[in-house]
Amino acid sequence: EEEHLALLLDKYKNKLTTLPKQKGWMGETFYMYQGFWYRSSSPFSVQMTMAMQDSFKPHPTDIYLLTLPKSGTTWVKALMFATVNRATYNHGNNTLLLTHPLLVSNPHKCVPYIEQEFIKKTPTHVQEKPNPCLHAPPRLFSTHIPYTSLPRLILDSGCRLVYLCRNPKDVMVSWYYFSNKFPHEILTPMTINEMFEVFVKGMVPYGPYWDHVKEYYNASCEHPTKILFLTYEVMKKDTMNQVKRIAEFLGCPFSKEEEGNGGVDQIIRLCSLESLKEVNKDGEYGDGIPNAAFFREGKVGGWRNDLTDEMIKILDDITDEKFQDLDISF
Ligand code: A3P
């Protein structure tokens, strides 16, 4: 695995030297590729994106969750996994198996990042070997790669994409708390002012925030049957209808009977912040990040407690300008 990664990174080494680079989030060097900033020290790097653009082979039945980090990825991974696999982990009388992956593991294990699969195995393997959590197609994957750089075959093969975005102020604050849970031997902890500065400049992983959201928003308008555009805020306000909408979009709508039996409620409870927090209170996600770091407050508008009036004004002004043609309400 490591050897495969080393070869892959080496192959794109020369291309890397041609890219703009700058210090950003947590004092790390970032590379700009096709208009977006990528971390230099993560295996989820520019090189990985380039390699996937060259050789990632999706299945037409694949399902992808696309997000910017801190937009609610972990939650919607859980909801999509539980929805798509609901028959597999049910006793039949609407009782969940105690071995349901979401009762024993992190949603990130159930819906892996494509990059993780790509590092682990050869691209052909990615194509052939399904996610071990899934007993049958479709395979569920996730990524933060921006629309511009998404391997074209993912769209051309007819795969279904779900994009989730969240109010930039909550994303920024969530980033701040999450960042400071990283092990600090490698990365420099940041104050909220420093977090604000890099966020506004777009120098966070896969930033700028606004361009990422806007591209997927426009793509979802252009390809409504392929890309479903969701917001964290509407998901929180009307989880029931949003989960039904996701199921329908993914080709596995809830039957009237399931709805009547509380099948949707069961999934919502299983994926609630409280439930996932409890399951993930111990253990490590990887790279020294605790599982628990992915589950904090899960509030809409929590930014009110953390941002100054000046920060709010600056973020609102940018959002108003960048999203003026978009019909998104947070
Ligand atoms: P906060 O830091 O605002 O609490 P991501 O999964 O993209 O990294 O996003 C993390 C954010 O989603 C965190 O937001 C986290 O608390 C929230 N979150 C995690 N699980 C959730 C759940 N089951 N329901 C609602 N929000 C959840």
Side-chain angles (χ1 to χ4, degrees):
E1 201 174 297
E2 267 172 31
E3 198 183 323
H4 174 56
L5 176 64
L7 278 174
L8 192 145
L9 297 185
D10 197 56
K11 185 171 168 201
Y12 294 92
K13 188 170 72 193
N14 290 341
K15 268 195 170 177
L16 208 62
T17 58
T18 64
L19 301 178
K21 68 175 181 181
Q22 221 173 308
K23 279 217 185 308
W25 172 80
M26 305 285 273
E28 184 173 344
T29 300
F30 276 68
Y31 288 107
M32 169 158 289
Y33 179 57
Q34 299 183 332
F36 291 86
W37 291 105
Y38 289 71
R39 295 181 59 188
S40 56
S41 81
S42 163
F44 286 31
S45 58
V46 180
Q47 296 102 299
M48 187 69 68
T49 303
M50 290 172 173
M52 296 208 326
Q53 288 176 332
D54 282 350
S55 54
F56 182 69
K57 296 205 178 59
H59 274 170
T61 56
D62 283 352
I63 292 168
Y64 296 87
L65 171 65
L66 293 312
T67 63
L68 269 170
K70 312 334 291 169
S71 303
T73 319
T74 321
W75 180 30
V76 176
K77 275 189 177 189
L79 286 171
M80 286 169 64
F81 180 86
T83 300
V84 169
N85 297 293
R86 62 190 186 271
T88 313
Y89 301 111
N90 220 299
H91 278 303
N93 55 353
N94 226 4
T95 335
L96 289 178
L97 295 183
L98 290 175
T99 52
H100 193 298
L102 291 168
L103 290 175
V104 293
S105 61
N106 189 322
H108 290 288
K109 292 269 183 305
C110 304
V111 181
Y113 287 101
I114 339 173
E115 290 91 334
Q116 284 168 327
E117 293 297 295
F118 200 70
I119 301 171
K120 264 198 228 151
K121 299 156 188 149
T122 62
T124 10
H125 250 104
V126 172
Q127 193 186 358
E128 282 164 5
K129 204 160 186 182
N131 170 355
C133 278
L134 297 177
H135 300 311
R139 304 179 307 170
L140 283 169
F141 289 121
S142 174
T143 187
H144 299 307
I145 297 178
Y147 182 72
T148 318
S149 307
L150 198 67
R152 283 299 100 179
L153 273 178
I154 291 184
L155 289 159
D156 297 345
S157 308
C159 305
R160 271 174 256 212
L161 277 60
V162 174
Y163 185 80
L164 172 74
C165 83
R166 185 182 188 190
N167 186 320
K169 289 176 285 192
D170 278 329
V171 170
M172 198 226 103
V173 169
S174 186
W175 252 130
Y176 166 67
Y177 286 104
F178 184 72
S179 302
N180 288 319
K181 290 186 182 135
F182 272 66
H184 291 145
E185 300 88 65
I186 331 160
L187 298 165
T188 325
M190 294 197 301
T191 62
I192 193 141
N193 287 334
E194 288 164 337
M195 183 69 229
F196 173 77
E197 264 170 43
V198 291
F199 188 84
V200 164
K201 284 195 213 142
M203 301 200 54
V204 288
Y206 309 96
Y209 163 93
W210 295 274
D211 301 8
H212 199 284
V213 173
K214 196 170 173 168
E215 281 191 355
Y216 275 107
Y217 178 90
N218 287 335
S220 75
C221 295
E222 214 175 299
H223 308 284
T225 55
K226 285 187 186 171
I227 309 177
L228 177 68
F229 189 92
L230 303 173
T231 68
Y232 182 86
E233 290 70 23
V234 177
M235 290 287 308
K236 285 280 292 190
K237 204 158 101 189
D238 190 13
T239 316
M240 172 69 76
N241 280 316
Q242 294 301 302
V243 171
K244 286 200 240 168
R245 200 173 153 216
I246 293 173
E248 222 168 283
F249 176 78
L250 299 181
C252 53
F254 289 95
S255 64
K256 283 277 161 273
E257 198 190 343
E258 280 179 295
E259 283 184 27
N261 286 343
V264 191
D265 290 299
Q266 186 182 53
I267 288 175
I268 295 173
R269 271 198 311 276
L270 173 70
C271 302
S272 67
L273 184 63
E274 297 68 36
S275 169
L276 297 182
K277 216 180 217 176
E278 178 60 27
V279 172
N280 291 280
K281 63 180 190 292
D282 302 315
E284 200 188 275
Y285 164 77
D287 294 334
I289 306 166
N291 280 325
F294 291 93
F295 312 93
R296 198 180 61 94
E297 285 190 334
K299 276 197 192 142
V300 170
W303 52 266
R304 288 188 181 84
N305 300 322
D306 298 275
L307 301 182
T308 63
D309 289 347
E310 197 193 353
M311 288 173 175
I312 296 169
K313 170 140 183 35
I314 292 174
L315 287 171
D316 283 347
D317 285 351
I318 303 175
T319 309
D320 287 349
E321 193 212 315
K322 296 269 188 184
F323 289 177
Q324 58 181 320
D325 305 323
L326 279 52
D327 183 19
I328 307 179
S329 53
F330 292 117

